[in-house]
Amino acid sequence: MTTTAVTHIASLVTNDPSLGNGTPLGLIHDAAVVIDGDRIVWTGESSKAPATDNVLDAAGRAVIPGFVDSHSHLVFAGDRTQEFNARMSGQPYRAGGIRTTVAATRAASDDDLSANVARYLAEALRQGTTTFETKSGYGLTVEDEARALRIAGRHTDEVTYLGAHIVSPDYADDPAGYVDLVTGPMLDACAPHARWIDVFCEQGAFDGDQARAILTAGRAKGLHPRVHANQLSYGPGVQLAVELDAASADHCTHLTDADVDALAQGNTVATLLPGAEFSTRAEWPDARRLLDAGATVALSTDCNPGSSFTSSVPFCIALAVRDMGMTPDEAVWAATAGGAAALRRTDVGRITPGARADLVLLDAPSHVHLAYRPGVPLVGAVWRRGERVV
C-alpha cells in the first residue's frame, strides 16, 4: 500500500470534538490528512504532516467527510413527472402515488433496475456521497421484493427490506393478508439479503399495530428496525421507533412534545429529509426543536421517483439551513456523522485515524459554502475507501 497526504487544507472537518477547535465538527485549520490504503492514519496541522509516498496540495480548499446518505429508494423503474407536475399545480401529495412506480418496477428487468441504481449512485458520488442506504418497496410481491434486495446488495451493504411501503395493490381489499405476507413468506425470502427492516407508518399505509407486527417479525429474523415516521400527519411512528430501538425515525415532520422527548432520550436518530418537503410543498421539519431538545439529527436525500427525486446531499444541506433552522455546522454534521449514526456506523462520517478514508475536497475554503452557495457544484474531488473516485 502507498500513503497519500492531502496538505494545505484551509478547513478540515473531522467530526471529532477532541481535535481542532473542540466543536462537534472538530475543525482543524491549515490542516493535512494522511491516507494509508483504505484508512485515515493521521490528521493534524499541515506543517506537522509526516512524510508520505504521495502528496496532494489542497491549495487552501476545505475537506469534509464523505456524505452518508442513510435513506434512499433507488431500486425502481419508471417516471412520475406527471404526478410532480400535478402536485406543483395544486394537487396534494398522498402515499398512493407509489403504486405507479410499483407497476413499472415489476415490469423492469434485473439489468435495467441495476443500471438505474448505478446511474443514481454515480450521480450521488459526484456530489460527495460515499456511503448510502437503499431500500426495496417498489415490488410488493415475494419475488419482486427479494430481487430488489439482491440488486441493491450489488451496490451497497446498507440494504433495507421495505415490503411494508404500502399495502400491495394485489391486497387492496385484504390489508391484514398483506401484513401476513410481509411478516411471513416475503420476510423469509428477503431477510437473507438485508440488514434493516423498515415500514411506512402513516395514514394510507400501515397503522401502529401493523407496523409493530412487521418490525417485530423482522427483528426476530435478525433485521434491525428503521421507521418512516410522522411524515404526513401525527401518529405512532416515532414512539414505536424509539420503543423498538430503531436506528432511525425518518421524516419526523409532525411531532408532539412527547415525540421530541422520546427522540432526545432514546438512541433513535431523527433523520430529516428536506427534499421531500421541497418536492411536495409540505411543512418543513423543525430541526431546531429537535436539536435544542438534545436529539441526534441526520440529513438524507430520500432519493425516490415520487416525493424527493434528488441525489444531492449539498442541496439538502442548503434547504436545512434555509428552512429548517439548522446552522451550517449542524447541517454538515448531520449529513456526515449524523448519517453514520443513523446507520449505526463508526467507521464513516468522520476524518480521524482508523476511519475509512472517505473524503470530499470542496472548491471552497469552508464547508459553510455548501449552504452559502446553494446549487453550485462545489465538489472538486472525492476519495472512497482511500481511492480517488472523482
Side-chain angles (χ1 to χ4, degrees), residues 78-104:
D79 179 89
R80 283 159 69 181
T81 303
Q82 290 182 346
E83 176 190 325
F84 176 79
N85 194 37
R87 196 160 61 240
M88 294 301 103
S89 302
Q91 294 183 16
Y93 172 69
R94 295 186 177 90
I98 293 167
R99 294 180 181 86
T100 304
T101 302
V102 169

mmCIF file with all atom_site columns, all heavy atoms in Angstrom, residues 78-104:
data_model
loop_
_atom_site.group_PDB
_atom_site.id
_atom_site.type_symbol
_atom_site.label_atom_id
_atom_site.label_alt_id
_atom_site.label_comp_id
_atom_site.label_asym_id
_atom_site.label_entity_id
_atom_site.label_seq_id
_atom_site.pdbx_PDB_ins_code
_atom_site.Cartn_x
_atom_site.Cartn_y
_atom_site.Cartn_z
_atom_site.occupancy
_atom_site.B_iso_or_equiv
_atom_site.pdbx_formal_charge
_atom_site.auth_seq_id
_atom_site.auth_comp_id
_atom_site.auth_asym_id
_atom_site.auth_atom_id
_atom_site.pdbx_PDB_model_num
ATOM 1   N N   . GLY A 1 78  ? -39.366 3.530  -14.127 1.00 0.00 ? 78  GLY A N   1
ATOM 2   C CA  . GLY A 1 78  ? -40.459 4.427  -14.470 1.00 0.00 ? 78  GLY A CA  1
ATOM 3   C C   . GLY A 1 78  ? -40.192 5.870  -14.068 1.00 0.00 ? 78  GLY A C   1
ATOM 4   O O   . GLY A 1 78  ? -39.125 6.229  -13.570 1.00 0.00 ? 78  GLY A O   1
ATOM 5   N N   . ASP A 1 79  ? -41.207 6.684  -14.263 1.00 0.00 ? 79  ASP A N   1
ATOM 6   C CA  . ASP A 1 79  ? -41.086 8.130  -14.104 1.00 0.00 ? 79  ASP A CA  1
ATOM 7   C C   . ASP A 1 79  ? -42.405 8.673  -13.576 1.00 0.00 ? 79  ASP A C   1
ATOM 8   O O   . ASP A 1 79  ? -43.481 8.192  -13.967 1.00 0.00 ? 79  ASP A O   1
ATOM 9   C CB  . ASP A 1 79  ? -40.753 8.751  -15.462 1.00 0.00 ? 79  ASP A CB  1
ATOM 10  C CG  . ASP A 1 79  ? -40.624 10.250 -15.404 1.00 0.00 ? 79  ASP A CG  1
ATOM 11  O OD1 . ASP A 1 79  ? -39.517 10.732 -15.143 1.00 0.00 ? 79  ASP A OD1 1
ATOM 12  O OD2 . ASP A 1 79  ? -41.629 10.948 -15.616 1.00 0.00 ? 79  ASP A OD2 1
ATOM 13  N N   . ARG A 1 80  ? -42.332 9.643  -12.675 1.00 0.00 ? 80  ARG A N   1
ATOM 14  C CA  . ARG A 1 80  ? -43.567 10.220 -12.123 1.00 0.00 ? 80  ARG A CA  1
ATOM 15  C C   . ARG A 1 80  ? -43.612 11.735 -12.353 1.00 0.00 ? 80  ARG A C   1
ATOM 16  O O   . ARG A 1 80  ? -44.047 12.515 -11.510 1.00 0.00 ? 80  ARG A O   1
ATOM 17  C CB  . ARG A 1 80  ? -43.688 9.865  -10.638 1.00 0.00 ? 80  ARG A CB  1
ATOM 18  C CG  . ARG A 1 80  ? -44.141 8.410  -10.473 1.00 0.00 ? 80  ARG A CG  1
ATOM 19  C CD  . ARG A 1 80  ? -43.818 7.814  -9.136  1.00 0.00 ? 80  ARG A CD  1
ATOM 20  N NE  . ARG A 1 80  ? -44.595 8.394  -8.045  1.00 0.00 ? 80  ARG A NE  1
ATOM 21  C CZ  . ARG A 1 80  ? -44.441 8.023  -6.774  1.00 0.00 ? 80  ARG A CZ  1
ATOM 22  N NH1 . ARG A 1 80  ? -43.566 7.077  -6.452  1.00 0.00 ? 80  ARG A NH1 1
ATOM 23  N NH2 . ARG A 1 80  ? -45.155 8.600  -5.828  1.00 0.00 ? 80  ARG A NH2 1
ATOM 24  N N   . THR A 1 81  ? -43.149 12.123 -13.541 1.00 0.00 ? 81  THR A N   1
ATOM 25  C CA  . THR A 1 81  ? -43.154 13.532 -13.902 1.00 0.00 ? 81  THR A CA  1
ATOM 26  C C   . THR A 1 81  ? -44.562 14.108 -13.863 1.00 0.00 ? 81  THR A C   1
ATOM 27  O O   . THR A 1 81  ? -44.773 15.230 -13.378 1.00 0.00 ? 81  THR A O   1
ATOM 28  C CB  . THR A 1 81  ? -42.563 13.712 -15.318 1.00 0.00 ? 81  THR A CB  1
ATOM 29  O OG1 . THR A 1 81  ? -41.256 13.165 -15.349 1.00 0.00 ? 81  THR A OG1 1
ATOM 30  C CG2 . THR A 1 81  ? -42.525 15.180 -15.699 1.00 0.00 ? 81  THR A CG2 1
ATOM 31  N N   . GLN A 1 82  ? -45.517 13.361 -14.362 1.00 0.00 ? 82  GLN A N   1
ATOM 32  C CA  . GLN A 1 82  ? -46.892 13.878 -14.400 1.00 0.00 ? 82  GLN A CA  1
ATOM 33  C C   . GLN A 1 82  ? -47.425 14.131 -12.997 1.00 0.00 ? 82  GLN A C   1
ATOM 34  O O   . GLN A 1 82  ? -48.109 15.132 -12.747 1.00 0.00 ? 82  GLN A O   1
ATOM 35  C CB  . GLN A 1 82  ? -47.799 12.903 -15.165 1.00 0.00 ? 82  GLN A CB  1
ATOM 36  C CG  . GLN A 1 82  ? -47.521 12.840 -16.656 1.00 0.00 ? 82  GLN A CG  1
ATOM 37  C CD  . GLN A 1 82  ? -48.471 11.908 -17.379 1.00 0.00 ? 82  GLN A CD  1
ATOM 38  O OE1 . GLN A 1 82  ? -49.174 11.111 -16.759 1.00 0.00 ? 82  GLN A OE1 1
ATOM 39  N NE2 . GLN A 1 82  ? -48.492 12.001 -18.708 1.00 0.00 ? 82  GLN A NE2 1
ATOM 40  N N   . GLU A 1 83  ? -47.111 13.228 -12.086 1.00 0.00 ? 83  GLU A N   1
ATOM 41  C CA  . GLU A 1 83  ? -47.544 13.406 -10.698 1.00 0.00 ? 83  GLU A CA  1
ATOM 42  C C   . GLU A 1 83  ? -46.919 14.677 -10.101 1.00 0.00 ? 83  GLU A C   1
ATOM 43  O O   . GLU A 1 83  ? -47.594 15.456 -9.424  1.00 0.00 ? 83  GLU A O   1
ATOM 44  C CB  . GLU A 1 83  ? -47.144 12.190 -9.868  1.00 0.00 ? 83  GLU A CB  1
ATOM 45  C CG  . GLU A 1 83  ? -47.467 12.313 -8.390  1.00 0.00 ? 83  GLU A CG  1
ATOM 46  C CD  . GLU A 1 83  ? -46.842 11.193 -7.574  1.00 0.00 ? 83  GLU A CD  1
ATOM 47  O OE1 . GLU A 1 83  ? -46.753 10.058 -8.078  1.00 0.00 ? 83  GLU A OE1 1
ATOM 48  O OE2 . GLU A 1 83  ? -46.445 11.467 -6.425  1.00 0.00 ? 83  GLU A OE2 1
ATOM 49  N N   . PHE A 1 84  ? -45.626 14.865 -10.341 1.00 0.00 ? 84  PHE A N   1
ATOM 50  C CA  . PHE A 1 84  ? -44.953 16.058 -9.827  1.00 0.00 ? 84  PHE A CA  1
ATOM 51  C C   . PHE A 1 84  ? -45.569 17.320 -10.421 1.00 0.00 ? 84  PHE A C   1
ATOM 52  O O   . PHE A 1 84  ? -45.834 18.306 -9.718  1.00 0.00 ? 84  PHE A O   1
ATOM 53  C CB  . PHE A 1 84  ? -43.460 16.001 -10.152 1.00 0.00 ? 84  PHE A CB  1
ATOM 54  C CG  . PHE A 1 84  ? -42.703 17.238 -9.742  1.00 0.00 ? 84  PHE A CG  1
ATOM 55  C CD1 . PHE A 1 84  ? -42.324 17.440 -8.423  1.00 0.00 ? 84  PHE A CD1 1
ATOM 56  C CD2 . PHE A 1 84  ? -42.385 18.210 -10.677 1.00 0.00 ? 84  PHE A CD2 1
ATOM 57  C CE1 . PHE A 1 84  ? -41.634 18.587 -8.054  1.00 0.00 ? 84  PHE A CE1 1
ATOM 58  C CE2 . PHE A 1 84  ? -41.698 19.357 -10.312 1.00 0.00 ? 84  PHE A CE2 1
ATOM 59  C CZ  . PHE A 1 84  ? -41.320 19.540 -8.998  1.00 0.00 ? 84  PHE A CZ  1
ATOM 60  N N   . ASN A 1 85  ? -45.814 17.280 -11.712 1.00 0.00 ? 85  ASN A N   1
ATOM 61  C CA  . ASN A 1 85  ? -46.403 18.436 -12.385 1.00 0.00 ? 85  ASN A CA  1
ATOM 62  C C   . ASN A 1 85  ? -47.781 18.754 -11.806 1.00 0.00 ? 85  ASN A C   1
ATOM 63  O O   . ASN A 1 85  ? -48.125 19.924 -11.569 1.00 0.00 ? 85  ASN A O   1
ATOM 64  C CB  . ASN A 1 85  ? -46.494 18.165 -13.883 1.00 0.00 ? 85  ASN A CB  1
ATOM 65  C CG  . ASN A 1 85  ? -46.784 19.422 -14.681 1.00 0.00 ? 85  ASN A CG  1
ATOM 66  O OD1 . ASN A 1 85  ? -46.298 20.496 -14.348 1.00 0.00 ? 85  ASN A OD1 1
ATOM 67  N ND2 . ASN A 1 85  ? -47.580 19.283 -15.734 1.00 0.00 ? 85  ASN A ND2 1
ATOM 68  N N   . ALA A 1 86  ? -48.566 17.712 -11.552 1.00 0.00 ? 86  ALA A N   1
ATOM 69  C CA  . ALA A 1 86  ? -49.895 17.919 -10.971 1.00 0.00 ? 86  ALA A CA  1
ATOM 70  C C   . ALA A 1 86  ? -49.786 18.494 -9.566  1.00 0.00 ? 86  ALA A C   1
ATOM 71  O O   . ALA A 1 86  ? -50.557 19.387 -9.179  1.00 0.00 ? 86  ALA A O   1
ATOM 72  C CB  . ALA A 1 86  ? -50.655 16.600 -10.951 1.00 0.00 ? 86  ALA A CB  1
ATOM 73  N N   . ARG A 1 87  ? -48.810 17.979 -8.803  1.00 0.00 ? 87  ARG A N   1
ATOM 74  C CA  . ARG A 1 87  ? -48.630 18.473 -7.436  1.00 0.00 ? 87  ARG A CA  1
ATOM 75  C C   . ARG A 1 87  ? -48.237 19.948 -7.433  1.00 0.00 ? 87  ARG A C   1
ATOM 76  O O   . ARG A 1 87  ? -48.729 20.744 -6.625  1.00 0.00 ? 87  ARG A O   1
ATOM 77  C CB  . ARG A 1 87  ? -47.566 17.625 -6.744  1.00 0.00 ? 87  ARG A CB  1
ATOM 78  C CG  . ARG A 1 87  ? -47.541 17.767 -5.248  1.00 0.00 ? 87  ARG A CG  1
ATOM 79  C CD  . ARG A 1 87  ? -46.838 16.594 -4.598  1.00 0.00 ? 87  ARG A CD  1
ATOM 80  N NE  . ARG A 1 87  ? -45.456 16.448 -4.998  1.00 0.00 ? 87  ARG A NE  1
ATOM 81  C CZ  . ARG A 1 87  ? -44.942 15.383 -5.594  1.00 0.00 ? 87  ARG A CZ  1
ATOM 82  N NH1 . ARG A 1 87  ? -45.718 14.356 -5.892  1.00 0.00 ? 87  ARG A NH1 1
ATOM 83  N NH2 . ARG A 1 87  ? -43.671 15.321 -5.921  1.00 0.00 ? 87  ARG A NH2 1
ATOM 84  N N   . MET A 1 88  ? -47.357 20.322 -8.340  1.00 0.00 ? 88  MET A N   1
ATOM 85  C CA  . MET A 1 88  ? -46.946 21.715 -8.431  1.00 0.00 ? 88  MET A CA  1
ATOM 86  C C   . MET A 1 88  ? -48.076 22.601 -8.970  1.00 0.00 ? 88  MET A C   1
ATOM 87  O O   . MET A 1 88  ? -48.001 23.827 -8.908  1.00 0.00 ? 88  MET A O   1
ATOM 88  C CB  . MET A 1 88  ? -45.716 21.850 -9.320  1.00 0.00 ? 88  MET A CB  1
ATOM 89  C CG  . MET A 1 88  ? -44.471 21.194 -8.745  1.00 0.00 ? 88  MET A CG  1
ATOM 90  S SD  . MET A 1 88  ? -43.959 21.833 -7.117  1.00 0.00 ? 88  MET A SD  1
ATOM 91  C CE  . MET A 1 88  ? -44.532 20.522 -6.012  1.00 0.00 ? 88  MET A CE  1
ATOM 92  N N   . SER A 1 89  ? -49.122 21.938 -9.479  1.00 0.00 ? 89  SER A N   1
ATOM 93  C CA  . SER A 1 89  ? -50.289 22.674 -9.959  1.00 0.00 ? 89  SER A CA  1
ATOM 94  C C   . SER A 1 89  ? -51.432 22.677 -8.946  1.00 0.00 ? 89  SER A C   1
ATOM 95  O O   . SER A 1 89  ? -52.535 23.119 -9.256  1.00 0.00 ? 89  SER A O   1
ATOM 96  C CB  . SER A 1 89  ? -50.779 22.060 -11.281 1.00 0.00 ? 89  SER A CB  1
ATOM 97  O OG  . SER A 1 89  ? -49.745 22.086 -12.250 1.00 0.00 ? 89  SER A OG  1
ATOM 98  N N   . GLY A 1 90  ? -51.154 22.132 -7.745  1.00 0.00 ? 90  GLY A N   1
ATOM 99  C CA  . GLY A 1 90  ? -52.124 22.263 -6.677  1.00 0.00 ? 90  GLY A CA  1
ATOM 100 C C   . GLY A 1 90  ? -52.661 20.993 -6.074  1.00 0.00 ? 90  GLY A C   1
ATOM 101 O O   . GLY A 1 90  ? -53.369 21.046 -5.066  1.00 0.00 ? 90  GLY A O   1
ATOM 102 N N   . GLN A 1 91  ? -52.365 19.831 -6.644  1.00 0.00 ? 91  GLN A N   1
ATOM 103 C CA  . GLN A 1 91  ? -52.864 18.594 -6.057  1.00 0.00 ? 91  GLN A CA  1
ATOM 104 C C   . GLN A 1 91  ? -51.976 18.179 -4.887  1.00 0.00 ? 91  GLN A C   1
ATOM 105 O O   . GLN A 1 91  ? -50.760 18.259 -4.982  1.00 0.00 ? 91  GLN A O   1
ATOM 106 C CB  . GLN A 1 91  ? -52.894 17.472 -7.101  1.00 0.00 ? 91  GLN A CB  1
ATOM 107 C CG  . GLN A 1 91  ? -53.886 17.707 -8.225  1.00 0.00 ? 91  GLN A CG  1
ATOM 108 C CD  . GLN A 1 91  ? -53.940 16.538 -9.195  1.00 0.00 ? 91  GLN A CD  1
ATOM 109 O OE1 . GLN A 1 91  ? -53.470 15.445 -8.894  1.00 0.00 ? 91  GLN A OE1 1
ATOM 110 N NE2 . GLN A 1 91  ? -54.528 16.767 -10.370 1.00 0.00 ? 91  GLN A NE2 1
ATOM 111 N N   . PRO A 1 92  ? -52.542 17.722 -3.761  1.00 0.00 ? 92  PRO A N   1
ATOM 112 C CA  . PRO A 1 92  ? -51.732 17.349 -2.597  1.00 0.00 ? 92  PRO A CA  1
ATOM 113 C C   . PRO A 1 92  ? -51.011 16.032 -2.812  1.00 0.00 ? 92  PRO A C   1
ATOM 114 O O   . PRO A 1 92  ? -51.415 15.200 -3.625  1.00 0.00 ? 92  PRO A O   1
ATOM 115 C CB  . PRO A 1 92  ? -52.765 17.223 -1.472  1.00 0.00 ? 92  PRO A CB  1
ATOM 116 C CG  . PRO A 1 92  ? -54.029 16.856 -2.177  1.00 0.00 ? 92  PRO A CG  1
ATOM 117 C CD  . PRO A 1 92  ? -53.989 17.573 -3.503  1.00 0.00 ? 92  PRO A CD  1
ATOM 118 N N   . TYR A 1 93  ? -49.910 15.837 -2.055  1.00 0.00 ? 93  TYR A N   1
ATOM 119 C CA  . TYR A 1 93  ? -49.176 14.581 -2.099  1.00 0.00 ? 93  TYR A CA  1
ATOM 120 C C   . TYR A 1 93  ? -49.844 13.549 -1.217  1.00 0.00 ? 93  TYR A C   1
ATOM 121 O O   . TYR A 1 93  ? -50.215 13.825 -0.080  1.00 0.00 ? 93  TYR A O   1
ATOM 122 C CB  . TYR A 1 93  ? -47.728 14.771 -1.631  1.00 0.00 ? 93  TYR A CB  1
ATOM 123 C CG  . TYR A 1 93  ? -46.985 13.463 -1.466  1.00 0.00 ? 93  TYR A CG  1
ATOM 124 C CD1 . TYR A 1 93  ? -46.649 12.697 -2.578  1.00 0.00 ? 93  TYR A CD1 1
ATOM 125 C CD2 . TYR A 1 93  ? -46.662 12.973 -0.213  1.00 0.00 ? 93  TYR A CD2 1
ATOM 126 C CE1 . TYR A 1 93  ? -45.990 11.487 -2.442  1.00 0.00 ? 93  TYR A CE1 1
ATOM 127 C CE2 . TYR A 1 93  ? -46.001 11.760 -0.055  1.00 0.00 ? 93  TYR A CE2 1
ATOM 128 C CZ  . TYR A 1 93  ? -45.666 11.027 -1.184  1.00 0.00 ? 93  TYR A CZ  1
ATOM 129 O OH  . TYR A 1 93  ? -45.012 9.825  -1.035  1.00 0.00 ? 93  TYR A OH  1
ATOM 130 N N   . ARG A 1 94  ? -50.013 12.345 -1.740  1.00 0.00 ? 94  ARG A N   1
ATOM 131 C CA  . ARG A 1 94  ? -50.514 11.220 -0.962  1.00 0.00 ? 94  ARG A CA  1
ATOM 132 C C   . ARG A 1 94  ? -49.653 9.992  -1.268  1.00 0.00 ? 94  ARG A C   1
ATOM 133 O O   . ARG A 1 94  ? -49.087 9.867  -2.344  1.00 0.00 ? 94  ARG A O   1
ATOM 134 C CB  . ARG A 1 94  ? -51.979 10.925 -1.306  1.00 0.00 ? 94  ARG A CB  1
ATOM 135 C CG  . ARG A 1 94  ? -52.937 12.063 -0.916  1.00 0.00 ? 94  ARG A CG  1
ATOM 136 C CD  . ARG A 1 94  ? -54.391 11.674 -1.145  1.00 0.00 ? 94  ARG A CD  1
ATOM 137 N NE  . ARG A 1 94  ? -55.293 12.737 -0.707  1.00 0.00 ? 94  ARG A NE  1
ATOM 138 C CZ  . ARG A 1 94  ? -55.710 13.725 -1.492  1.00 0.00 ? 94  ARG A CZ  1
ATOM 139 N NH1 . ARG A 1 94  ? -55.276 13.805 -2.747  1.00 0.00 ? 94  ARG A NH1 1
ATOM 140 N NH2 . ARG A 1 94  ? -56.534 14.657 -1.029  1.00 0.00 ? 94  ARG A NH2 1
ATOM 141 N N   . ALA A 1 95  ? -49.608 9.083  -0.304  1.00 0.00 ? 95  ALA A N   1
ATOM 142 C CA  . ALA A 1 95  ? -48.735 7.912  -0.439  1.00 0.00 ? 95  ALA A CA  1
ATOM 143 C C   . ALA A 1 95  ? -49.117 7.022  -1.612  1.00 0.00 ? 95  ALA A C   1
ATOM 144 O O   . ALA A 1 95  ? -48.297 6.249  -2.105  1.00 0.00 ? 95  ALA A O   1
ATOM 145 C CB  . ALA A 1 95  ? -48.766 7.096  0.861   1.00 0.00 ? 95  ALA A CB  1
ATOM 146 N N   . GLY A 1 96  ? -50.342 7.111  -2.099  1.00 0.00 ? 96  GLY A N   1
ATOM 147 C CA  . GLY A 1 96  ? -50.811 6.218  -3.144  1.00 0.00 ? 96  GLY A CA  1
ATOM 148 C C   . GLY A 1 96  ? -50.061 6.302  -4.454  1.00 0.00 ? 96  GLY A C   1
ATOM 149 O O   . GLY A 1 96  ? -50.132 5.384  -5.277  1.00 0.00 ? 96  GLY A O   1
ATOM 150 N N   . GLY A 1 97  ? -49.346 7.394  -4.704  1.00 0.00 ? 97  GLY A N   1
ATOM 151 C CA  . GLY A 1 97  ? -48.580 7.515  -5.932  1.00 0.00 ? 97  GLY A CA  1
ATOM 152 C C   . GLY A 1 97  ? -47.521 6.442  -6.094  1.00 0.00 ? 97  GLY A C   1
ATOM 153 O O   . GLY A 1 97  ? -47.029 6.187  -7.201  1.00 0.00 ? 97  GLY A O   1
ATOM 154 N N   . ILE A 1 98  ? -47.155 5.809  -4.980  1.00 0.00 ? 98  ILE A N   1
ATOM 155 C CA  . ILE A 1 98  ? -46.161 4.733  -5.014  1.00 0.00 ? 98  ILE A CA  1
ATOM 156 C C   . ILE A 1 98  ? -46.606 3.626  -5.963  1.00 0.00 ? 98  ILE A C   1
ATOM 157 O O   . ILE A 1 98  ? -45.768 2.968  -6.601  1.00 0.00 ? 98  ILE A O   1
ATOM 158 C CB  . ILE A 1 98  ? -45.946 4.188  -3.587  1.00 0.00 ? 98  ILE A CB  1
ATOM 159 C CG1 . ILE A 1 98  ? -45.282 5.265  -2.711  1.00 0.00 ? 98  ILE A CG1 1
ATOM 160 C CG2 . ILE A 1 98  ? -45.108 2.916  -3.592  1.00 0.00 ? 98  ILE A CG2 1
ATOM 161 C CD1 . ILE A 1 98  ? -45.320 4.953  -1.222  1.00 0.00 ? 98  ILE A CD1 1
ATOM 162 N N   . ARG A 1 99  ? -47.926 3.421  -6.092  1.00 0.00 ? 99  ARG A N   1
ATOM 163 C CA  . ARG A 1 99  ? -48.417 2.314  -6.930  1.00 0.00 ? 99  ARG A CA  1
ATOM 164 C C   . ARG A 1 99  ? -47.967 2.451  -8.380  1.00 0.00 ? 99  ARG A C   1
ATOM 165 O O   . ARG A 1 99  ? -47.763 1.452  -9.067  1.00 0.00 ? 99  ARG A O   1
ATOM 166 C CB  . ARG A 1 99  ? -49.949 2.262  -6.852  1.00 0.00 ? 99  ARG A CB  1
ATOM 167 C CG  . ARG A 1 99  ? -50.483 1.894  -5.477  1.00 0.00 ? 99  ARG A CG  1
ATOM 168 C CD  . ARG A 1 99  ? -51.998 1.857  -5.436  1.00 0.00 ? 99  ARG A CD  1
ATOM 169 N NE  . ARG A 1 99  ? -52.493 1.518  -4.107  1.00 0.00 ? 99  ARG A NE  1
ATOM 170 C CZ  . ARG A 1 99  ? -52.697 2.391  -3.129  1.00 0.00 ? 99  ARG A CZ  1
ATOM 171 N NH1 . ARG A 1 99  ? -52.443 3.676  -3.345  1.00 0.00 ? 99  ARG A NH1 1
ATOM 172 N NH2 . ARG A 1 99  ? -53.141 2.000  -1.958  1.00 0.00 ? 99  ARG A NH2 1
ATOM 173 N N   . THR A 1 100 ? -47.809 3.676  -8.850  1.00 0.00 ? 100 THR A N   1
ATOM 174 C CA  . THR A 1 100 ? -47.342 3.897  -10.222 1.00 0.00 ? 100 THR A CA  1
ATOM 175 C C   . THR A 1 100 ? -45.953 3.306  -10.416 1.00 0.00 ? 100 THR A C   1
ATOM 176 O O   . THR A 1 100 ? -45.663 2.627  -11.417 1.00 0.00 ? 100 THR A O   1
ATOM 177 C CB  . THR A 1 100 ? -47.313 5.404  -10.543 1.00 0.00 ? 100 THR A CB  1
ATOM 178 O OG1 . THR A 1 100 ? -48.605 5.954  -10.302 1.00 0.00 ? 100 THR A OG1 1
ATOM 179 C CG2 . THR A 1 100 ? -46.890 5.661  -11.971 1.00 0.00 ? 100 THR A CG2 1
ATOM 180 N N   . THR A 1 101 ? -45.080 3.554  -9.443  1.00 0.00 ? 101 THR A N   1
ATOM 181 C CA  . THR A 1 101 ? -43.724 3.021  -9.531  1.00 0.00 ? 101 THR A CA  1
ATOM 182 C C   . THR A 1 101 ? -43.706 1.512  -9.356  1.00 0.00 ? 101 THR A C   1
ATOM 183 O O   . THR A 1 101 ? -42.883 0.822  -9.967  1.00 0.00 ? 101 THR A O   1
ATOM 184 C CB  . THR A 1 101 ? -42.832 3.697  -8.474  1.00 0.00 ? 101 THR A CB  1
ATOM 185 O OG1 . THR A 1 101 ? -42.842 5.112  -8.693  1.00 0.00 ? 101 THR A OG1 1
ATOM 186 C CG2 . THR A 1 101 ? -41.402 3.199  -8.562  1.00 0.00 ? 101 THR A CG2 1
ATOM 187 N N   . VAL A 1 102 ? -44.598 0.980  -8.535  1.00 0.00 ? 102 VAL A N   1
ATOM 188 C CA  . VAL A 1 102 ? -44.664 -0.467 -8.346  1.00 0.00 ? 102 VAL A CA  1
ATOM 189 C C   . VAL A 1 102 ? -44.908 -1.164 -9.681  1.00 0.00 ? 102 VAL A C   1
ATOM 190 O O   . VAL A 1 102 ? -44.229 -2.137 -10.036 1.00 0.00 ? 102 VAL A O   1
ATOM 191 C CB  . VAL A 1 102 ? -45.750 -0.830 -7.321  1.00 0.00 ? 102 VAL A CB  1
ATOM 192 C CG1 . VAL A 1 102 ? -46.017 -2.343 -7.324  1.00 0.00 ? 102 VAL A CG1 1
ATOM 193 C CG2 . VAL A 1 102 ? -45.347 -0.372 -5.925  1.00 0.00 ? 102 VAL A CG2 1
ATOM 194 N N   . ALA A 1 103 ? -45.851 -0.671 -10.457 1.00 0.00 ? 103 ALA A N   1
ATOM 195 C CA  . ALA A 1 103 ? -46.166 -1.303 -11.739 1.00 0.00 ? 103 ALA A CA  1
ATOM 196 C C   . ALA A 1 103 ? -44.970 -1.270 -12.675 1.00 0.00 ? 103 ALA A C   1
ATOM 197 O O   . ALA A 1 103 ? -44.642 -2.273 -13.335 1.00 0.00 ? 103 ALA A O   1
ATOM 198 C CB  . ALA A 1 103 ? -47.358 -0.594 -12.379 1.00 0.00 ? 103 ALA A CB  1
ATOM 199 N N   . ALA A 1 104 ? -44.280 -0.136 -12.743 1.00 0.00 ? 104 ALA A N   1
ATOM 200 C CA  . ALA A 1 104 ? -43.128 -0.014 -13.637 1.00 0.00 ? 104 ALA A CA  1
ATOM 201 C C   . ALA A 1 104 ? -41.969 -0.879 -13.167 1.00 0.00 ? 104 ALA A C   1
ATOM 202 O O   . ALA A 1 104 ? -41.259 -1.492 -13.985 1.00 0.00 ? 104 ALA A O   1
ATOM 203 C CB  . ALA A 1 104 ? -42.695 1.449  -13.730 1.00 0.00 ? 104 ALA A CB  1
#
